[in-house]
Amino acid sequence: MEIKSKFDHCNINVTDLQKSLDFYQKALGLKELKRKSAPDGSFTLVYITDDEHSFMLELTWLRDHPQPYELGDNESHICFRVAGDYDAIRNYHKEMGWVCFENTEMRLYFIHDPDDYWLEILPMK
C-alpha cells in the first residue's frame, strides 16, 4: 500500500496563550488562522501560520495547567526559514533577548519562546 500524506500541523502546549501569540507574531510574523475553545473554558487551541498557510503550529492552552511545562532534555525543535536580511533578523532576535544558542560556523541560531521551546532560524534557501 502506498500512502501519500502532507504535513498539517504540530502542537505545543503553552502556559500564557496571549504571551505566546505575541511572541510568535513579533519573532516570526506568524498569525492566528483559527481558534477553538472548549465550552467549559478548560482549553483553547489556536492555530498560527505563515502567509502561505502550508503548515500550522497549534498552541494549546489548558486552564488547569498554570505551571511551566517540563521540557526535560528533549532536543526537539521547529525550524523556520526567514526571508530578507538574515543578519538583521538575527540582531533583532538578539536585541529582544530571544537567542538561546548560536552556531556561527554553521550559520544558524535558535530562539526560545515564552515556554522555552527552541526554534531554529535559518536563512531562506
Side-chain angles (χ1 to χ4, degrees):
M1 171 191 306
E2 180 181 344
I3 298 175
K4 293 184 180 182
S5 64
K6 69 175 198 131
F7 283 105
D8 184 78
H9 73 274
C10 178
N11 166 265
I12 60 173
N13 287 23
V14 300
T15 53
D16 184 325
L17 184 56
Q18 190 57 53
K19 189 174 183 179
S20 293
L21 287 169
D22 290 344
F23 169 82
Y24 282 97
Q25 195 283 317
K26 289 177 187 175
L28 297 163
L30 302 181
K31 297 173 186 73
E32 182 174 332
L33 181 64
K34 59 184 177 177
R35 175 184 292 241
K36 178 178 178 161
S37 296
D40 66 358
S42 62
F43 70 85
T44 300
L45 310 176
V46 177
Y47 295 86
I48 58 177
T49 190
D50 58 24
D51 290 335
E52 296 177 19
H53 304 286
S54 58
F55 182 82
M56 295 176 291
L57 178 60
E58 175 187 343
L59 305 179
T60 298
W61 173 82
L62 302 172
R63 178 190 61 206
D64 299 330
H65 197 287
Q67 68 275 22
Y69 286 92
E70 175 55 53
L71 303 182
D73 294 330
N74 187 350
E75 293 187 26
S76 64
H77 63 274
I78 302 169
C79 181
F80 291 88
R81 290 196 178 266
V82 294
D85 186 335
Y86 183 71
D87 292 325
I89 294 167
R90 185 181 68 241
N91 287 336
Y92 168 70
H93 286 157
K94 282 183 176 182
E95 289 170 10
M96 298 302 289
W98 295 328
V99 174
C100 56
F101 179 80
E102 193 169 5
N103 184 328
T104 54
E105 185 177 305
M106 293 180 67
R107 194 157 163 77
L108 62 86
Y109 67 97
F110 288 81
I111 60 176
H112 60 109
D113 80 356
D115 290 284
D116 207 29
Y117 290 102
W118 281 31
L119 311 164
E120 183 177 2
I121 308 298
L122 295 173
M124 197 67 71
K125 286 185 175 180

